[in-house]
Amino acid sequence: SAMRTIRRKFGNACFCTTSESKAKHRRGRWMVRVGDKSTGANVTNFRRWTPSEDDSASTTNLPPAQKRKFDEFTGLEINSIKAHGVIFEDKQKDLNHLVQNFTAPALAAALRDREETLHICAILLGENRMTELRKVLRPFHTEKISERRLKRRKMFLDEGFKSKHIFMIRKYLHRMPRQLPRYAEKRASVMLPLCNAQGVASVLFQYRSATVRSHKSQVCFPGGIVDNRKDANIVETCLREMNEEMGIDGVKDVCGVLRCDWGTIAKLVGVSVTPVVGWMGDIEDYDFSNMNPDEVQAAFTVPVEDLLQKENWIVEEVDGVPSLEFAGGPHRIWGLTAFLLYRFLQDVLKRYRVYFVNEIEKLLPEDAPKLLRLESLDSREALDGGKCYGEDD
């Protein structure tokens, strides 16, 4: 494999040490409390939080192996024929994605194109024109399919969020299927803030004070009830609330609305809540010294890599309503905040293969040949053992 080749050429001297790996893992766990001075470079000297030791999470067991089945047309064992599907290899996942993300006319046009391709292939086969047949079928070859999917479905966050990653996130937010909102007497909006904390891709949360009127001492996203006298739209609502609660005047970019199941949200909180995804940039650029102590006790970030780890989540269902809890942060995250966070990770971020370590590039010494280093940039996600999240994790 590529890993063994690199080890053979350059030895083990180029591997990161355990202490270096742990030091990098601690980056991004940033916290500031009410009363802390948080301007400019002082932010980098703040405390780092550690996960609560009394929290626990469960893991999901793998499904049992399937029994042997044979294709009725070819007689070959089905498991020996690796079908790639349209977008995903898993059939049910593929069908659900097509139904939820594409209109009926688009699916009908695609079906028509595939039928015409099959008719052309049948004619070429009947006339024994194998050269032309191979040319028509080349785009459907296993290697070509894998190449296309790897090329368009990769997100490297080893250096934090970049502008291209925000564009990729915005693209999927706009592609999400529209939901029919339910009528509610009260409407609210919250901001899901993406940021870089010490160069690590992270999400910003706030820990509410013990004196606030509702949701005392709970983790939540900044936001609140729509004020029709002040807010022209739901985006203005969450930006206004973010300023009132955390003293932050706006974000760098509003990526879009995270479309969720409104019925589930209504069961969780009884209010029609619209989540908006925002991009803040570097958390060090913001001044948190003006946080409202009557509403917020602390603000903290959690690295996206921690949020994507399954062992940090407890996923259950109670009376048909999802019960989610994230136990990998300084405070327990549950309720609506956990639901919105989980939906963002599953429906948007994990549409890509997300990597946090450039496997090959980290292994190569600085004096490695330039050609080898350039090749590593294109093949790093295909390495055996390369850790990634999303799609097939």
Side-chain angles (χ1 to χ4, degrees):
S1 66
M3 284 287 192
R4 287 194 292 269
T5 302
I6 294 169
R7 287 176 185 268
R8 204 163 43 242
K9 286 186 176 182
F10 302 103
N12 294 322
C14 50
F15 282 84
C16 296
T17 64
T18 303
S19 60
E20 290 173 347
S21 176
K22 289 183 178 179
K24 178 175 177 57
H25 187 68
R26 287 194 296 268
R27 292 169 54 228
R29 294 180 174 181
W30 168 92
M31 177 181 286
V32 58
R33 297 185 184 276
V34 171
D36 290 339
K37 295 181 179 180
S38 57
T39 57
N42 292 332
V43 177
T44 59
N45 299 322
F46 283 162
R47 62 181 68 85
R48 293 189 178 94
W49 56 262
T50 57
S52 302
E53 295 181 358
D54 57 343
D55 289 334
S56 61
S58 59
T59 57
T60 305
N61 295 325
L62 296 174
Q66 294 182 353
K67 296 181 179 180
R68 295 181 65 186
K69 297 180 181 179
F70 296 89
D71 182 70
E72 60 178 310
F73 296 105
T74 64
L76 298 174
E77 187 177 351
I78 292 179
N79 291 337
S80 67
I81 307 174
K82 187 177 181 180
H84 284 263
V86 180
I87 296 175
F88 299 104
E89 292 181 7
D90 182 78
K91 183 176 181 179
Q92 192 58 49
K93 185 177 181 180
D94 204 22
L95 292 175
N96 289 339
H97 180 82
L98 293 173
V99 171
Q100 295 174 7
N101 292 274
F102 295 90
T103 63
L107 294 174
L111 178 61
R112 168 80 184 192
D113 291 340
R114 292 298 174 98
E115 284 295 316
E116 289 181 352
T117 301
L118 289 174
H119 293 161
I120 293 173
C121 291
I123 294 173
L124 295 175
L125 181 62
E127 298 177 359
N128 200 28
R129 297 162 60 182
M130 304 307 293
T131 301
E132 292 89 341
L133 179 60
R134 291 190 185 93
K135 185 176 180 180
V136 173
L137 292 176
R138 188 173 295 122
F140 300 95
H141 195 275
T142 300
E143 293 182 359
K144 293 292 183 181
I145 294 175
S146 300
E147 181 181 334
R148 288 197 302 271
R149 290 182 180 177
L150 285 175
K151 184 177 181 181
R152 73 170 183 263
R153 292 185 178 275
K154 59 183 179 181
M155 182 183 289
F156 296 102
L157 298 180
D158 48 316
E159 296 181 354
F161 284 119
K162 304 292 184 183
S163 58
K164 61 181 179 181
H165 303 137
I166 302 304
F167 173 80
M168 295 163 73
I169 291 171
R170 183 189 295 111
K171 181 177 70 172
Y172 262 113
L173 285 173
H174 293 173
R175 285 184 177 182
M176 293 181 70
R178 292 185 177 275
Q179 304 284 345
L180 291 176
R182 293 189 176 187
Y183 173 78
E185 184 177 355
K186 292 184 178 181
R187 295 179 58 217
S189 176
V190 297
M191 174 70 74
L192 196 159
L194 306 177
C195 63
N196 287 329
Q198 290 94 43
V200 176
S202 307
V203 177
L204 177 68
F205 300 88
Q206 64 181 21
Y207 187 71
R208 293 175 68 82
S209 69
T211 59
V212 73
R213 184 171 54 183
S214 60
H215 307 295
K216 304 176 186 293
S217 301
Q218 293 182 17
V219 175
C220 67
F221 293 123
I225 300 295
V226 173
D227 188 338
N228 294 323
R229 297 169 300 176
K230 300 179 181 179
D231 308 326
N233 50 59
I234 55 173
V235 174
E236 288 191 6
T237 298
C238 55
L239 292 176
R240 174 181 55 78
E241 289 285 346
M242 197 172 187
N243 178 262
E244 294 176 1
E245 296 169 352
M246 308 182 75
I248 297 176
D249 188 16
V251 295
K252 285 190 174 182
D253 190 10
V254 175
C255 301
V257 172
L258 177 65
R259 298 180 182 128
C260 299
D261 183 354
W262 301 102
T264 301
I265 292 179
K267 290 179 181 179
L268 288 172
V269 293
V271 179
S272 178
V273 180
T274 301
V276 178
V277 179
W279 163 236
M280 297 181 63
D282 294 334
I283 200 70
E284 293 86 353
D285 295 338
Y286 292 84
D287 182 4
F288 287 85
S289 61
N290 295 320
M291 288 193 298
N292 186 350
D294 294 332
E295 297 193 47
V296 180
Q297 180 177 325
F300 64 93
T301 59
V302 179
V304 173
E305 185 172 10
D306 291 353
L307 296 173
L308 287 172
Q309 293 177 7
K310 292 181 179 179
E311 57 267 26
N312 287 334
W313 284 90
I314 301 174
V315 182
E316 298 175 346
E317 186 171 311
V318 180
D319 298 330
V321 179
S323 175
L324 302 168
E325 179 180 337
F326 178 78
H331 302 285
R332 187 170 67 107
I333 301 177
W334 60 286
L336 177 64
T337 303
F339 174 78
L340 298 179
L341 176 63
Y342 191 78
R343 289 269 53 89
F344 170 74
L345 297 175
Q346 298 295 322
D347 297 341
V348 180
L349 209 57
K350 291 183 72 173
R351 292 295 180 91
Y352 299 94
R353 288 185 175 92
V354 185
Y355 293 81
F356 294 91
V357 177
N358 181 343
E359 297 288 344
I360 294 184
E361 198 171 17
K362 295 293 183 184
L363 297 176
L364 291 174
E366 294 182 359
D367 58 348
K370 183 177 180 180
L371 178 61
L372 183 58
R373 297 190 69 85
L374 291 175
E375 288 177 349
S376 71
L377 297 177
D378 294 328
S379 60
R380 54 185 174 178
E381 79 283 0
L383 280 175
D384 294 335
K387 181 63 175 176
C388 74
Y389 303 86
E391 288 194 356
D392 301 322
D393 66 336

